[in-house]
Amino acid sequence: MPELPDLAVFQQYFESTSLHQAIQRVRCHEPNLLVGTSPGGVGRWLSGHSFSGTDRIGKNFFAEMDDGRFLRFHFGMTGYFEYFKGLDEEPEYSQFRIHFDNGYHLALVMPRKLGEIQPLESMEDYAAEAELGPDVFKDSFGFSQFKDILVDRRAMIKSSMMDQSVMAGLGNVYNDEILYQARIHPRAQIPDLSEKELGKIYHAMRRVINKAIEVDAQPERMPENWLLPHREPGAQCPRCRGEIERIDVSGRTGYYCPSCQKMPD
DNA sequence: ACATTGACCTGAGAGC
DNA sequence: TGCTCTCAGGTCAATG
């Protein structure tokens, strides 16, 4: 479930494996993933160059190239990178593979083919084009901006926080976690939330993302007192021992604790 | 503006 | 054992 913390970990992985090595060629098993290019086109885009750095906006990962161009990756629901040596070690569900001069390869592994790979001249142009909101984990995204963005909205809090054009990076799972820790009902309407409650949400967001990255976004390493290890109906709330419930919000299945997360008055 | 639904894709897990 | 069904997850388009 690649959300912002997962992306941050992918970014570290990419940086520790795939920078500053000449790219020989690429192989795309699933051309439908390519945006604005073709298997041949992405090959020409990359071949003979190398990656020099990385960046991220929300759930979009940008591999920066030695001449300042980019390749954007979106991981859909199931994507991740895997770096490996011999082709006989290529992972199952590898949809796209980059051959480096040193004999190693980087694969985009994605059982469900809902991701995207896109050559780009500019990250900023892409963000504008895609109408991406600000990345929720950039240093510049402080509480005042969080509040300003939400203040004249009337939607449910969870819907707006998951809307990538409002703010970018959060998905279903971490959103539930944040609202659980802030003790806010996922269907709470934004106009009904006080500044203090918005503050609790913002700070829970920082805390959750930081901690999730610290444990490499591995679900089994999430703290036991989080909601995340208890995302099933009938599970016990680690805080009040009440029953975790399933709830649909804007078409996504969420989980929350009805006794800890009350609707605002 | 906002909510809802369905489509995309396909493996995992459940139920028979 | 093997089949069929449902459900995830992120995003977008269509409809109310």
Side-chain angles (χ1 to χ4, degrees):
Chain A
M1 31 133 189
E3 302 183 33
L4 192 154
D6 308 86
L7 270 278
V9 174
F10 297 165
Q11 197 175 353
Q12 293 168 5
Y13 184 80
F14 187 98
E15 293 211 350
S16 66
T17 57
S18 302
L19 296 188
H20 314 303
Q21 304 169 44
I23 297 164
Q24 234 170 43
R25 61 192 183 92
V26 308
R27 176 68 208 243
C28 186
H29 302 107
E30 183 49 69
N32 287 336
L33 297 175
L34 301 175
V35 179
T37 189
S38 60
V42 71
R44 284 188 293 279
W45 188 259
L46 293 174
S47 295
H49 293 271
S50 65
F51 296 117
S52 58
T54 69
D55 209 331
R56 186 187 55 68
I57 305 176
K59 302 172 191 170
N60 294 278
F61 172 79
F62 300 88
E64 184 173 5
M65 296 165 61
D66 50 6
D67 58 1
R69 292 175 298 135
F70 296 90
L71 191 65
R72 178 181 71 93
F73 291 89
H74 192 287
F75 299 91
M77 300 189 282
T78 58
Y80 58 95
F81 286 131
E82 199 163 319
Y83 187 74
F84 62 98
K85 190 161 188 187
L87 280 184
D88 54 335
E89 297 167 37
E90 182 168 25
E92 202 179 359
Y93 310 123
S94 164
Q95 313 292 357
F96 180 75
R97 137 169 54 96
I98 296 171
H99 293 238
F100 294 110
D101 259 354
N102 64 2
Y104 281 77
H105 306 84
L106 182 75
L108 174 64
V109 184
M110 196 154 39
R112 297 168 217 176
K113 306 167 178 172
L114 292 182
E116 291 177 337
I117 299 170
Q118 181 178 22
L120 290 171
E121 298 285 348
S122 148
M123 273 176 52
E124 290 73 24
D125 289 355
Y126 172 75
E129 178 84 17
E131 299 183 311
L132 282 184
D135 183 287
V136 297
F137 200 54
K138 290 282 191 259
D139 290 341
S140 56
F141 192 72
F143 176 57
S144 61
Q145 190 178 9
F146 178 78
K147 191 179 59 178
D148 288 350
I149 281 177
L150 293 177
V151 67
D152 47 357
R153 300 197 164 266
R154 271 147 296 165
M156 296 180 282
I157 183 67
K158 181 173 169 180
S159 307
S160 285
M161 289 179 70
M162 278 207 301
D163 183 339
Q164 304 298 299
S165 69
V166 174
M167 57 183 86
L170 301 176
N172 194 32
V173 172
Y174 285 105
N175 227 305
D176 279 357
E177 187 64 49
I178 290 162
L179 294 175
Y180 172 76
Q181 295 197 20
R183 303 184 184 231
I184 301 293
H185 195 291
R187 303 193 82 118
Q189 304 286 132
I190 292 167
D192 296 338
L193 294 169
S194 65
E195 174 151 351
K196 188 177 166 196
E197 288 169 320
L198 289 175
K200 281 165 63 180
I201 296 171
Y202 175 80
H203 291 293
M205 180 176 84
R206 307 282 318 177
R207 189 168 63 241
V208 165
I209 296 172
N210 273 308
K211 183 67 185 178
I213 294 173
E214 190 187 310
V215 301
D216 295 329
Q218 295 175 23
E220 61 278 8
R221 293 177 61 201
M222 297 295 165
E224 186 53 29
N225 62 350
W226 279 22
L227 174 64
L228 222 146
H230 311 280
R231 287 177 65 81
E232 50 183 337
Q236 235 185 20
C237 167
R239 201 157 47 201
C240 76
R241 303 289 153 201
E243 203 166 288
I244 299 298
E245 275 182 21
R246 215 185 119 120
I247 185 175
D248 270 32
V249 183
S250 42
R252 327 278 308 134
T253 300
Y255 294 89
Y256 80 118
C257 172
S259 57
C260 292
Q261 295 167 261
K262 299 290 188 195
M263 288 292 269
D265 301 322

